[in-house]
Amino acid sequence: MSYLEYSVKHVPTGPRKILHLNWPLLLLVTAVASVGFLMLYSVAGGSFSPWAEPQMKRYAMGVVLLFIVAMVPIWFWRSVSGAVYLGALLLLILVEVIGSVGMGAQRWIDLGFMRLQPSELMKVALVMALAAYYDWLPPKKTSRPQYVLIPVLLILIPTALVLRQPDLGTAILLLAGGAIVMFAAGVHWGYFTAVFGMGMGLVFAVFQSRGTSWQLLKNYQYRRIDTFLDPASDPLGAGYHITQSKIALGSGGWTGRGFMQGTQSRLNFLPEKHTDFIFTTLAEEFGYIGAVSLLSLYALIILFCVASAISNRDRYASLLTIGIASAFFLFFAVNMSMVMGLAPVVGVPLPLVSYGGSAMLVLMLAFGLVQSAHVHRPR
Amino acid sequence: MRKNPAENAETHARVSRRALLLGGAQLLFMGGLGMRMRHLQLNQADQFRLLAEENRINIRLIPPARGEIFDRHGVVLARNEPAYRVTLVPEDAGDVDAVIEKLAALIELDPGELDAAATEMRRSPPFLPVTVADRISWEELSRVAVNAPALPGITPEVGLSRFYPLRGDFAHVVGYVGPVSDYDLSKIENPDQLLRIPRFQIGKVGLEGKLEDSLRGKAGTKRVEVNAVGRVMRELDRREGQQGDAVQLTIDQGLQSYAQARLGEESATAIVMDCRSGDLLAVASAPTFDSNLFVQGISVADYRELTENDHRPLAAKSVQGTYPPGSTFKMITALAALEAGIAGPDQTVWCPGHLEVSNRRFHCWKRAGHGHVNLAQALRESCDVYFYELALEVGIDNISAMAAKFGIGERFDLPLSGVARGLNPSRDWKREARGADWVVGDTVNVSIGQGFVLTSPLQLAVMTARLATGLNVMPRLVKSVNGIDTPVAPSADMGIDPAYLDEVRRGMYAVSNHRRGTAYGSRIIEDKYRLAGKTGTSQVRNITAAERARGVTRNEDLPWNRRDHALFVNFAPYDAPEIAVAVVVEHGGGGSTAAAPIARDITLQALYGDAPPLEAYPAKDRQRIKKQQEEIRTLKPGRSVTRRDRA
């Protein structure tokens, strides 16, 4: 069913839209962000600067953004999906050209007031584009090879660009996120099985290529994989991140050491304590209970999104919601797996909690889209 | 594009199905994460908590204050002084060059030190302090402290460093400390953790070296919380260390300083010993050096200057040096002969100026000979032939046994570096060491303290003390440790007939008080302090017959290092001996001219406890002595002694 077919008169208009927002979802997002403020306050040694305060300001900006996006009808967003995707793609190419070099990787464009990471934007743009594509595509053609190729290209082009930066974490998120939208849209199982098989082959190739002239990954990425497989081999060098992170998690116990009592993070044993490894601080200071609480909040966000997607009979809105929820899931699933030593350290922040401007704003934009889909759903 | 409702419903259902599938898979994965968390946080909690503790707690040592060293009256000989230095933390300084430039405007900076600091900065993490100025004065430190706000990263620091207020006067007794070296560490079986502290000061020689273990004290510890890069965040608790033992010496600082000043630049040594208790009152060795030079590590130039000096300032000649005792050994020969019943007060020997023994001619110092001499005269005028004759009859075994009773060839157990054993030769010794049999000529040589016999000045002092008292006095250097007196070895009677000892003492009295005595010129005329002594002049070379024929035997004509050693031993007062003195002046010439005046002056200084009145001196010397006393008085105790300072 498409928007052209249902009566627009049932859709709330004007300020009344605010009442029809998915308020529980917004509350959950705020709760997760608040956990972030708390942890940023703690890792700064009980201070709002340098992290907690800017993060709160960005969140406030993000909420405004969310409301604006939510108030705009979802069919407008569908119609600009392709343009947004192209814009994000252009920006990605732009960072290749003028991007500043930070942390060894070209990832952002300096806008003056903030640094924009086009790869962050692309995560949302890709979901939008794929949702719009499958909304346009007659469902019968979904699994035809030529119509599968188009979204695959839509996914692979930005993924390749991001990989060039190089940002392995985001590339994985784009790839997996895109695949999930395709899966949700009903692409035949066979494709996924085939791709999975090929992926395995690629992993094999990656390992085989190591040390040869056609080496596929950078050396530091190989080292991260090595230390992921055996962190104990180099506890002070490459395995340091994972070892220290596990020590922090493990020393939390049931209830943790207490707010601002985490020795691992406060004494700088934890690397990137305010960004990628912020979850370890939470786990150290609030223990298992704190960690599971945050995990539950994330789970509830996913649940509310899935519920919203299922109840929404509009194909674009439904696919968009499930796509964003899945991208969000991938975000924290990869981050948590990473700090728990289940996945290599690829540099994916914990969504809404880790310190970072672009990520926060893009996430709020994405949730704005989810809200818009919810508000303007066919009734 | 139009779509029929049925189709729409079907596709929506498929999307919902797959959405549910995805949501379910995601929740399942989250459940897995929760289980993993449970495993890490609960099942392995203890293990990880321990690792976290190890991560953050660091135990640091607090260096203890070194034990101080005092003289017998409580004068400080070695103490700990605050050492001021300026450190810089590059991370806090920001622009290091700018800060150093500002610092240079306030205090003088050593370019060498700055170079070292720059190298250190490149090597170490930026939060570790680097020393940019060491050994600065309190004024300089204050200047830096006042300007601290304008000097980011600069910290004025206070530590403890050894200081010897008397500089050279105790250089050979107290010794010195220096920064611990790899060589020091290699010598110690299980080095104290303290020694791992860079530039920690460890006793190197003298008392500082020998009593290192008790002077060092015990390290305190503090537990500090450190972060991942080792920066100290805060102190958790602190256990203070224990200062090293306070050591009090038997030395009298006033007398020691006087003795050092009196020896001056001669290559000489003087020992004053309480002949009743064995307490060493002065152990002087000249020339000396400023022990403070070594505390922070001596410069190559300073060290070379000390080692290249032919007067060997670094050597503690008082206990390390061994010299042929020369005529000061004659008392031993005399006593051996008296004990054996060979000599007696009335027995005389004819001295023609030489004695033929097994086709070799042994000369008396007086070429013309002494004529008929008895024991007292022979000691008084130091007749060699008399003792040759005695020795031929009494034999080396008796002489050697007597020498052993007086401590010759014995290494006294004093906490000083390289205390010499000397050499008390015997038939067995010669067979073992030289692989030859003892010959009678050897005995003749030993009888006048030449040949094989070697004594340290300390042994001469002990010998004299034992002669004066008849007791086997043992030398003692440490009076008390931490206020607890070290025991005085009870002196037993040596078992020598007092009549024989009196005979020898009378001879020694005559040496200094009889008009014909060899040390008559260095007598004391104050009756209650009369001294009894013996001169000695020991050859450091053999006088060949050819030389004798040419007549080139005058010391003054020889290069300094081939001249005779001058010796003098004495005790005083004669009637009730209190002190024993031994003086050796290396290559000083005759004992009566070079050593006896020094011994007399030191004896008087010791007996009066201060500069003696001129009335104690013979009338014709008083003018000269007055001048000499004034000269010495201008030399403050602890005067600097490096050659550069003198220039």
Side-chain angles (χ1 to χ4, degrees), chain A residues 285-297:
Chain A
E285 298 191 352
F286 296 105
Y288 183 60
I289 293 173
V292 168
S293 300
L294 183 66
L295 204 58
S296 306
L297 287 177

Side-chain angles (χ1 to χ4, degrees), chain A residues 1 183 187 267 269 312 340, chain B residues 8 12 18 36 55 227-228:
Chain A
M1 189 162 156
F183 179 76
V187 175
L267 300 177
F269 284 104
N312 201 328
M340 286 182 209
Chain B
N8 272 342
H12 179 70
R18 292 218 166 168
R36 171 74 175 172
N55 253 352
N227 69 2

Side-chain angles (χ1 to χ4, degrees), chain A residues 298-309:
Chain A
Y298 280 131
L300 285 172
I301 289 178
I302 299 295
L303 272 177
F304 272 89
C305 286
V306 170
S308 172

